[in-house]
Amino acid sequence: MSNYAIETQGLQRDFKTLRAVDNLSLSIQAGSIFGFLGPNGAGKTTTIRLLLGLLEPSAGEAQVLGYDIRTQAPEIRQACGALLENHGLYERLSAEENLEYYGRIWHIARRERLQRQQNLLESLGLWDRRKEAIVEWSRGMKQKLAVARALFHHPRLVFLDEPTAGLDPVAAASLRDDLGQLAMQEGVTVFLTTHNLTEAEKLCHQVGVIRQGRLIAVGSPEELRNRSSVPRVEVRGSGFSEKLISELNSRPEVKTISLRNGSLWLELNAETSVTPLVSLLIAGGAQVEEVRRDKASLEDVFLTLMEEEK
Amino acid sequence: MIRDIVTILWKELKEILYQRGRLRGGWVGLLIIVGVFGVFMPLQSGPEWVESPLPLILWSWVPFVLVGGVIADSFAGERERHTLETLLASRLSDQTILFGKIISAIVYGWSLALACALLSLVTINAAYGKGNIIWYPPLTAIAIPIFSFLIAATASGLGVLISLRSASVRQAQQTFSLAYFLLFVPVFVVPILPEKIKATFLTWLVNANFTQIGIAVALILILVNIGLISVAMMRFKRNQLILD
């Protein structure tokens, strides 16, 4: 059996004149958390719909947990869980009833259903409010419940479509923590779409960047940062005169230089020793307090990739 | 499949009966229906309510109205409240989802109509029985459950078809209300028919064998229901429903 939970080859989906997913080829390791990054309308949701067999591809092939998306869509849906664009909860029903419904749909025995409800709701901090109609709940609580529903039947793979979208930073961080913990406990493969780069950086083992339906980069957050970023150095201190800055700028190893919040930011042309540059600063009368090598964040990489694609 | 249909039925009835978002929920609505058709109207009409041919027409009309009240919500409501895609992403098959929705509406409309019919018997006997038991004529007693079921199924099949393609519950309800209008077409058409045709029709009606007519109407309803459900099955496409 393949080590990959998801494999796609040249997957494509057209809507009239729009190509929503374009020649997508991906392999996602079983048991990993994969982040699918892209701006709005990049094709993330369409990809999930294709992988769940809810939409037919226009071209290409894909296997999810070894099942073909064209011919074995029911088997895929049987083995997967999903939290799609909307939380999909029945707001007139209570949290308990929402989980009960999906537990019954997945033919989970009554005793196990009750136990599972308690485990999941307790670990998400929702147990005490399980009998309330969820129409009264905050968006963050509903999203947590939707995550519980997606994991309720112990799926081998779970699709989460922008799970923290629209949440305030505290709720988003709380959901992110719960998600990471639950995914680890359950040993489930997670396919997560997001345009929140912090989320991807914190949660994902591997990320793919999609733009206008095309996959433009894939790798671990670390690999992407290394691949796309230039070496950067932050020099904290004072006395960075214009003359010194222009002198530094004329050095061949310096690509760009800028002064922000009292720190001097240097982008270098290659990984090189910064000792000569620091010596130059000190000799020029600057007081250097701290020198720190810095890597570009995933956000920098993402923005660079988007820029390059334009 | 039956287990899954029962699951959908469980959820649908819960949503109808426990509308916790609203004051006292669906139970108030149910009690009003039962009160009007099971107590108030029989008391007003007297033993005629049971002994005349009226109950057969009434208990065929009531499930149509009851089913009409909930079936518009079946797919349009799920779409409007953004729960449809999650349901479609579950392990349930197309047929299970479709039949689950159809059967839920039938169970609701039919069982409520039968409950009202039985309660009206109790009401009539309590108010006018004077020690005797007043009961529906035998053929009517057999026809009531059959026709109320078939009409509930017709309303459910038609409603699901409309709901599948409606963007909102309101739109589905508006389209479905055209079906109510069709029910009243004979009321408007008969008075404007030429006298000769009316006379022929009346003669036919007086001499008609109601058992045969009943069987013919039941067969027509069965065929209509099979047709409606077949069309609904053809129109139920996950691809299309997701994109709608």
Side-chain angles (χ1 to χ4, degrees), chain B residues 151-204:
Chain B
I151 294 282
T154 308
S156 191
L158 183 66
V160 152
L161 255 181
I162 292 168
S163 189
L164 269 172
R165 283 302 164 93
S166 300
S168 64
V169 178
R170 194 184 173 86
Q171 189 190 341
Q173 281 169 339
Q174 283 170 346
T175 313
F176 193 82
S177 63
L178 292 175
Y180 291 124
F181 176 74
L182 288 177
L183 286 180
F184 289 99
V185 166
V187 178
F188 300 116
V189 169
V190 170
I192 57 169
L193 286 174
E195 285 304 320
K196 200 175 163 188
I197 295 177
K198 269 199 275 190
T200 314
F201 178 69
L202 274 175
T203 314
W204 174 80

Side-chain angles (χ1 to χ4, degrees), chain A:
Chain A
M1 200 176 145
S2 167
N3 246 352
Y4 295 111
I6 298 174
E7 285 182 285
T8 71
Q9 304 92 28
L11 197 63
Q12 194 168 299
R13 172 68 199 203
D14 299 329
F15 295 108
K16 292 182 183 164
T17 55
L18 173 79
R19 180 153 295 170
V21 175
D22 187 3
N23 197 26
L24 178 71
S25 296
L26 258 184
S27 297
I28 298 171
Q29 200 79 32
S32 67
I33 301 182
F34 181 85
F36 209 34
L37 309 181
N40 292 333
K44 305 187 294 289
T45 300
T46 304
T47 304
I48 287 189
R49 288 171 171 174
L50 287 169
L51 294 175
L52 275 169
L54 294 172
L55 285 179
E56 283 267 322
S58 308
E61 303 293 327
Q63 294 78 40
V64 175
L65 300 170
Y67 299 116
D68 187 287
I69 59 164
R70 287 177 194 272
T71 57
Q72 294 173 296
E75 286 84 348
I76 292 172
R77 290 192 288 268
Q78 170 82 41
C80 293
L83 160 54
L84 303 171
E85 241 178 333
N86 298 291
H87 55 65
L89 298 164
Y90 295 95
E91 303 215 342
R92 292 180 206 166
L93 304 183
S94 67
E96 206 173 48
E97 287 164 344
N98 268 284
L99 293 184
E100 175 69 12
Y101 181 43
Y102 277 90
R104 285 177 182 218
I105 283 178
W106 258 278
H107 294 180
I108 300 171
R110 185 177 152 72
R111 186 184 291 255
E112 198 192 332
R113 278 202 308 265
L114 296 176
Q115 189 59 54
R116 187 84 174 132
Q117 274 175 30
Q118 185 166 359
N119 290 347
L120 283 169
L121 292 178
E122 271 180 354
S123 63
L124 292 167
L126 301 172
W127 177 247
D128 292 340
R129 301 186 66 177
R130 67 191 183 279
K131 295 207 182 283
E132 291 172 19
I134 62 154
V135 70
E136 316 280 349
W137 283 17
S138 69
R139 192 176 153 81
M141 289 167 72
K142 287 177 192 169
Q143 286 295 97
K144 282 188 175 189
L145 180 61
V147 169
R149 185 205 54 215
L151 293 170
F152 198 77
H153 56 289
H154 298 286
R156 289 157 60 200
L157 167 65
V158 64
F159 291 95
L160 304 172
D161 195 357
E162 303 195 4
T164 57
L167 300 187
D168 64 63
V170 178
S174 160
L175 178 59
R176 202 157 41 232
D177 290 347
D178 290 336
L179 255 178
Q181 216 167 7
L182 282 172
M184 209 166 63
Q185 273 170 19
E186 308 266 329
V188 63
T189 309
V190 178
F191 185 98
L192 169 100
T193 74
T194 181
H195 45 228
N196 182 330
L197 299 150
T198 316
E199 187 167 287
E201 204 151 17
K202 285 189 175 165
L203 275 177
C204 302
H205 303 120
Q206 215 188 8
V207 292
V209 181
I210 186 173
R211 185 171 192 273
Q212 291 178 343
R214 288 196 303 118
L215 187 70
I216 54 177
V218 66
S220 69
E222 184 68 23
E223 279 169 354
L224 284 194
R225 278 198 303 264
N226 288 339
R227 191 194 308 172
S228 309
S229 66
V230 289
R232 293 198 305 186
V233 176
E234 181 190 3
V235 184
R236 291 181 62 198
S238 57
F240 303 127
S241 65
E242 285 203 6
K243 187 179 164 227
L244 256 180
I245 292 173
S246 93
E247 218 171 304
L248 272 180
N249 211 8
S250 62
R251 300 276 302 209
E253 60 267 52
V254 176
K255 191 177 174 189
T256 64
I257 187 163
S258 60
L259 189 61
R260 277 182 280 151
N261 304 325
S263 288
L264 202 59
W265 289 88
L266 304 167
E267 275 190 3
L268 306 177
N269 280 319
E271 284 292 350
T272 176
S273 166
V274 292
T275 313
L277 302 174
V278 177
S279 302
L280 186 85
L281 281 169
I282 293 168
Q287 278 91 53
V288 176
E289 289 170 17
E290 187 185 357
V291 179
R292 194 167 61 89
R293 280 189 179 273
D294 184 62
K295 272 186 184 161
S297 66
L298 196 55
E299 187 167 350
D300 296 323
V301 177
F302 180 76
L303 292 173
T304 311
L305 283 167
M306 291 296 126
E307 204 55 42
E308 281 171 7
E309 279 298 304
K310 274 183 191 169

